[in-house]
């Protein structure tokens, strides 16, 4: 799962806790302290990879994902069409 502009990833944490299965989660955010707080709130079944950076610059370097979540960060994306195109490329078939 990829979470963009996730902040503390409260929504992602709730979804993954309810799922109750092992998950690889990649969180991209520009705020290092929010990334750290996000890791602290994740269930034990979640392995978190933190990426400090701008979600506007995502691409294949992040890997492939089954799920991409943007809870409340779309307004932070400057080139929405480019970012959504990049998301389409990194989604697993």
């Amino acid at each position: 799962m990829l979470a963009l502009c996730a902040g503390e990833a409260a929504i992602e944490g709730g979804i993954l806790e309810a799922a109750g299965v092992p998950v690889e989660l990649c969180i991209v955010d520009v705020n290092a302290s929010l990334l750290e707080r996000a890791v602290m709130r994740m269930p034990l079944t979640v392995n978190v990879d933190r990426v400090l950076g701008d979600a506007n610059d995502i691409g294949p370097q992040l890997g492939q994902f089954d799920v991409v979540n943007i809870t409340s960060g779309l307004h932070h994306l400057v080139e929405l069409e480019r970012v959504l195109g990049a998301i389409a490329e990194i989604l697993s078939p």
Side-chain angles (χ1 to χ4, degrees):
M1 178 178 192
L2 173 63
L4 299 176
C5 308
E8 292 185 16
I11 299 299
E12 292 84 353
I15 291 169
L16 297 175
E17 184 173 351
V21 297
V23 174
E24 298 287 327
L25 172 65
C26 178
I27 302 174
V28 178
D29 202 278
V30 296
N31 187 312
S33 64
L34 290 179
L35 286 172
E36 291 302 319
R37 284 187 251 171
V39 171
M40 302 309 284
R41 75 170 47 236
M42 286 302 137
L44 295 176
T45 57
V46 178
N47 183 30
V48 181
D49 180 22
R50 298 173 297 249
V51 176
L52 181 62
D54 187 348
N56 288 289
D57 297 327
I58 66 162
Q61 75 278 8
L62 290 176
Q64 293 280 295
F65 299 92
D66 296 319
V67 176
V68 177
N69 188 56
I70 309 171
T71 300
S72 58
L74 281 177
H75 64 283
H76 292 294
L77 302 175
V78 178
E79 296 181 53
L80 188 56
E81 292 83 3
R82 193 199 71 70
V83 174
L84 292 177
I87 289 171
E89 290 180 18
I90 62 178
L91 279 170
S92 297

